[in-house]
Every structure is written in C-alpha cells, then in structure tokens.
Amino acid sequence: QKEVEQNSGPLSVPEGAIASLNCTYSDRVSQSFFWYRQYSGKSPELIMSIYSNGDKEDGRFTAQLNKASQYVSLLIRDSQPSDSATYLCAVIPSQGNLIFGKGTKLSVKP
Amino acid sequence: DAGVIQSPRHEVTEMGQEVTLRCKPISGHDYLFWYRQTMMRGLELLIYFNNNVPIDDSGMPEDRFSAKMPNASFSTLKIQPSEPRDSAVYFCASSLGYTGAEAFFGQGTRLTVV
C-alpha cells in the first residue's frame, strides 16, 4: 500500500515566522512530489513541485526533497495570516496515480 | 475561461436515492479527473478520462459508483443507490496532457446523504 503521511496539525506559527511542513512517503522509487494549498471550503491548488534532491525556492516558499529519507518538506518564510490553510503533500509513485496525504492545517496568528 | 465548473455545489439526499454530480472541464483540456475528499481518507482519485475514454477506474469504491464522459465538455459521476458513507466533497479536475498533479480543480460538490 503506497502511502503519504503528514501530521494533521494544527500547526500554529506567529506572523513573520517560518512555517515548516513535513511529509513522508512509502514508495522508495517515487520521482515526483507536490505541495498543494487548500483554503477552508475551497479546492486544492498546486503551489510547488519538486523532482530532484535538494531545495527548490519560489518566492516565500521552499520545497525540500530527500529521497534517501523518503521525506519532503515545505518551508514558508515570513508567514502571513493569508497562508492559513491546509497544505497537502502529494506523490506520484513508481506505478499508479497521484497519491495525496491528508494534509496539515496551518494557522498563522497575527 | 471560467475554469472547471461543477454542479451542484451542495447536494443533500436521502439514503437510497440516486445522485448525479456534473462537471464541465476547461475547454481544450484532454484529461478529466474525479476525486473524493473526506476527513478520514483525505483526497482520493476515483477515476480519470483521456479524450472522453475512461483510463483508470480503480479508485471507484463500489459498483454503486459510475462515471461517464459523453463529450469533451461534460462528465457525470453517479451514485446509485447512495449511502450515508458516501457523504464527502467530490472534486472534478482537468488538465492538458497527463499532468495529473497540475490539473485545475473545480470548486467541488459537497454531498450529504442522510
């Protein structure tokens, strides 16, 4: 059973701090990794993708991938209240379709 | 483009009734995905189509669920008969090419079966 695991949270950080969201996956040969943001009552939207080990930065967001540890993370710098949402980690395994984690709820306090 | 359009936005029905959810993908997109989201199971892929042809329906939970795509601009997900455990938010998404991870999601249909 291929799985994607996330801490459900809620993760609470003060405005301006760094929020760190973590995800582990079970399929060792997965190659594609994604982070989605989902506001309450809304649909998921893709915010980051990463395919190789290391860091990928896009504005205030940094995705980090460590395939040896089967670990992917999302850092949000200078967190804003508007970042408060549920963040879904998703993985495309070696065989099969996109698998989502259950998400981590982030709350950024003003 | 208006994006992926789903209807209805909310549906409340009684157990045993037939439920039909509708989706209009983004014009020109050749892949269409149906997802279900619950607190317990998260976001799960039910079925996806390529050029109106079902490609993988392994996520469809039971024979009570069926999906069709009669043309490039319309798809339905039908549950017959519905059960309380089918209560969830159902999302439709579409993409150009099998970039399933980069598909655009509709706003979802919140289904409640009582």
Side-chain angles (χ1 to χ4, degrees):
Chain A
Q1 179 82 6
K2 299 183 177 73
E3 294 182 340
V4 177
E5 300 286 343
Q6 296 181 255
N7 188 320
S8 62
L11 173 66
S12 184
V13 300
E15 184 174 356
I18 295 175
S20 178
L21 303 160
N22 305 314
C23 171
T24 58
Y25 57 94
S26 61
D27 184 3
R28 180 172 293 278
V29 295
S30 297
Q31 295 295 320
S32 305
F33 308 87
F34 309 89
W35 284 100
Y36 291 75
R37 178 176 60 201
Q38 186 174 23
Y39 291 113
S40 181
K42 303 296 185 182
S43 57
E45 57 177 327
L46 181 66
I47 56 172
M48 289 287 287
S49 58
I50 188 166
Y51 304 97
S52 55
N53 279 328
D55 296 358
K56 179 181 178 182
E57 187 174 317
D58 183 359
R60 294 187 296 111
F61 297 95
T62 299
Q64 299 176 317
L65 175 61
N66 183 328
K67 291 185 179 179
S69 300
Q70 296 175 231
Y71 179 92
V72 58
S73 65
L74 179 69
L75 301 179
I76 306 175
R77 291 182 300 282
D78 188 24
S79 295
Q80 301 297 309
S82 60
D83 296 324
S84 298
T86 296
Y87 289 81
L88 306 175
C89 174
V91 175
I92 297 181
S94 54
Q95 291 183 347
N97 302 304
L98 190 64
I99 300 173
F100 286 85
K102 294 180 183 177
T104 298
K105 187 172 183 178
L106 173 66
S107 177
V108 181
K109 303 295 187 184
Chain B
D1 199 315
V4 177
I5 299 173
Q6 292 186 244
S7 64
R9 291 294 308 277
H10 302 273
E11 176 82 31
V12 180
T13 191
E14 292 185 347
M15 182 173 62
Q17 296 298 305
E18 177 179 297
V19 175
T20 299
L21 311 181
R22 297 173 175 80
C23 175
K24 176 178 168 54
I26 293 173
S27 178
H29 281 189
D30 55 351
Y31 280 84
L32 183 140
F33 307 83
W34 281 102
Y35 286 92
R36 178 174 68 175
Q37 188 173 38
T38 62
M39 290 290 291
M40 287 292 292
R41 300 176 67 88
L43 191 61
E44 304 172 282
L45 177 65
L46 300 178
I47 185 172
Y48 75 91
F49 295 82
N50 175 221
N51 291 325
N52 314 336
V53 177
I55 302 300
D56 185 349
D57 66 354
S58 59
M60 297 285 262
E62 300 173 36
D63 290 345
R64 299 184 296 106
F65 286 70
S66 62
K68 294 182 179 180
M69 192 166 185
N71 56 62
S73 59
F74 183 66
S75 178
T76 59
L77 178 68
K78 185 177 293 186
I79 308 172
Q80 166 63 17
S82 58
E83 297 183 4
R85 59 196 169 117
D86 301 331
S87 298
V89 180
Y90 291 80
F91 288 104
C92 175
S94 72
S95 67
L96 181 61
Y98 184 64
T99 50
E102 298 174 17
F104 292 87
F105 282 76
Q107 289 304 301
T109 295
R110 181 173 294 277
L111 173 65
T112 303
V113 183
V114 299

